[in-house]
Amino acid sequence: MIGILGGGQLGRMLALAGYPLGLSFRFLDPSPEACAGQVGALVVGDFLDEEALSRFAEGLDLITYEFENVPVEAARRLEGRLPLYPPAKALEVAQDRLREKTFFQGLGVPTPPFHPVEGPEDLEEGLKRVGLPALLKTRRGGYDGKGQALARTPKEAEKALRALGGKGLILEGFVPFDREVSLLAVRGRAGEVAFYPLVENRHRGGILRLSLAPAPGASEALQKKAEAYALRAMEALDYVGVLSLEFFQVGEELLFNEMAPRVHNSGHWTIEGAETSQFENHLRAVLGLPLGSTAPRGQSAMVNLIGEKPPFAEVLKVEGAHLHWYGKAVRPGRKVGHITLRRDGLKALEEGLARLSRLVSELPWEGV
């Protein structure tokens, strides 16, 4: 039995990918309404509650996690009892934006300029080094655009400093990028690796709305560059499982933005759009099984459903559309499902996306 820390939709999709392999699952989540509980055993409890951790761990063969804000202390406690993949060290890096940027910079991976901020003096020094415009972010927590503010002037930077608590921050130079892309990589227990094609990601309001896979027009050189950066990170962390790296693309250069030590939203297209999904490959990796092919099946688009439930029948009328509903209550700003559109060519994909754009609000589709 595999234990999964977290009971959201990523855990749910891991379990759905694992059942054909004869696997069983148990989740640990603080919420009794965690949607993964609909497809597997759910232990409800705080991640640092020793009694809950013990109930969760009993009888498990190994543990993985489905989101990167699991307390490192909980991961360390469990790592002492059972195999835990990816390693807790990866959580430590991913949970602190300053540590994350420093780690990748140390690997020789280009990043935007950044500076730690613990008060007004640091902010002043950071603005000199980083320049304006700049993004001021909390070092910990925050996702989907939360915990950050764009500053175009020194006054706006000072206002952002106060709004974000005045310390525990990182100032990053704003990058005028061409587009945002991500790479999903997977590394097995024996060190074998595989890479999915680069994916183009489009956001609205800081939330991922649309992924295009493979990223249209991405060169082989750009793909190889991203793979080399991911390989350095995985080897340095002795990583096992799926790792997602997000980049800003500027011409043929990639600037590292952030990592996620888990299966990732920008990889949901792989369920229908690749020979082996990211979820199955993560399970194969942590179990020491042979990795599956990451080859794409034609062209795919993944459309996030954020706080809305479109008419299912109309969605399914679109040729090549596959609907995934997570079993969550619909609330504003909440990821409640996704649609994967898979077609054999880019023109057919564009036609399908044009139809979906009339069914899903906030879909950033203006063509490739």
Side-chain angles (χ1 to χ4, degrees):
M1 178 177 280
I2 295 175
I4 299 179
L5 292 166
Q9 63 265 20
L10 299 179
R12 177 189 178 100
M13 287 184 273
L14 278 168
L16 293 175
Y19 289 134
L21 300 178
L23 305 174
S24 56
F25 297 86
R26 182 186 300 149
F27 305 93
L28 175 63
D29 196 280
S31 172
E33 297 178 358
C35 67
Q38 298 169 12
V39 300
L42 176 66
V43 174
V44 178
D46 189 86
F47 292 117
L48 292 174
D49 182 311
E50 188 56 44
E51 189 271 335
L53 284 177
S54 295
R55 280 192 292 125
F56 168 70
E58 185 178 357
L60 295 179
D61 296 301
L62 62 84
I63 296 171
T64 188
Y65 43 89
E66 60 113 47
F67 78 124
E68 65 270 33
N69 288 319
V70 171
V72 173
E73 183 184 342
R76 290 283 186 209
R77 287 187 205 172
L78 291 167
E79 207 170 34
R81 306 181 198 180
L82 290 161
L84 181 139
Y85 306 111
K89 184 180 178 183
L91 281 178
E92 290 180 321
V93 171
Q95 287 179 5
D96 184 329
R97 289 188 173 94
L98 177 61
R99 185 168 185 170
E100 183 181 55
K101 287 286 195 304
T102 304
F103 171 74
F104 276 87
Q105 194 177 66
L107 295 174
V109 177
T111 71
F114 63 92
H115 190 77
V117 174
E118 292 297 331
E121 295 83 5
D122 288 335
L123 180 62
E124 186 178 351
E125 179 64 25
L127 289 173
K128 290 177 186 174
R129 296 190 179 199
V130 168
L132 287 167
L135 284 163
L136 191 62
K137 303 179 180 181
T138 55
R139 284 175 57 175
R140 292 182 170 273
Y143 61 95
D144 288 343
K146 299 179 179 72
Q148 60 181 269
L150 175 64
R152 298 175 184 84
T153 67
K155 286 285 187 189
E156 287 183 354
E158 291 167 12
K159 183 180 177 182
L161 179 69
R162 292 190 294 271
L164 294 173
K167 60 182 180 180
L169 307 172
I170 179 174
L171 186 72
E172 297 181 7
F174 180 79
V175 176
F177 53 84
D178 298 327
R179 61 178 174 178
E180 294 178 80
V181 296
S182 59
L183 180 79
L184 291 160
V186 58
R187 185 172 185 263
R189 281 160 66 164
E192 68 277 30
V193 296
F195 304 96
Y196 290 90
L198 280 166
V199 177
E200 177 180 334
N201 299 313
R202 300 185 184 181
H203 298 75
R204 284 267 174 89
I207 300 176
L208 178 64
R209 297 283 180 169
L210 173 68
S211 292
L212 301 172
S219 67
E220 186 178 348
L222 198 72
Q223 176 76 27
K224 293 301 181 188
K225 184 177 289 187
E227 291 179 7
Y229 293 161
L231 185 61
R232 290 180 208 173
M234 291 190 294
E235 289 180 343
L237 293 168
D238 195 18
Y239 197 88
V240 175
V242 165
L243 173 70
S244 170
L245 299 185
E246 297 182 48
F247 299 99
F248 299 121
Q249 182 181 347
V250 183
E252 282 296 293
E253 188 55 85
L254 293 173
L255 299 181
F256 170 77
N257 181 30
E258 62 184 31
M259 67 177 267
R262 53 167 171 81
V263 288
H264 193 255
N265 196 173
S266 69
H268 292 354
W269 66 273
T270 61
I271 297 173
E272 288 87 17
E275 289 295 326
T276 313
S277 77
Q278 63 164 341
F279 301 101
E280 182 179 336
N281 253 340
H282 182 78
L283 294 171
R284 288 186 183 213
V286 301
L287 289 164
L289 297 173
L291 301 181
S293 168
T294 54
R297 295 171 171 167
Q299 297 280 337
S300 295
M302 189 284 305
V303 177
N304 266 336
L305 299 175
I306 311 292
E308 66 176 315
K309 186 175 184 178
F312 286 4
E314 293 303 310
V315 168
L316 295 174
K317 282 181 184 176
V318 179
E319 186 176 352
H322 302 268
L323 178 66
H324 296 261
W325 190 251
Y326 303 152
K328 297 160 71 172
V330 177
R331 293 202 293 264
R334 191 183 203 192
K335 292 177 183 175
V336 289
H338 74 268
I339 301 163
T340 297
L341 183 65
R342 198 214 67 77
R343 300 306 304 272
D344 291 334
L346 202 52
K347 187 174 186 298
L349 189 77
E350 290 180 326
E351 291 169 355
L353 279 170
R355 290 185 63 186
L356 287 178
S357 69
R358 296 191 284 271
L359 302 173
V360 179
S361 62
E362 297 295 327
L363 175 56
W365 177 245
E366 304 86 23
V368 172

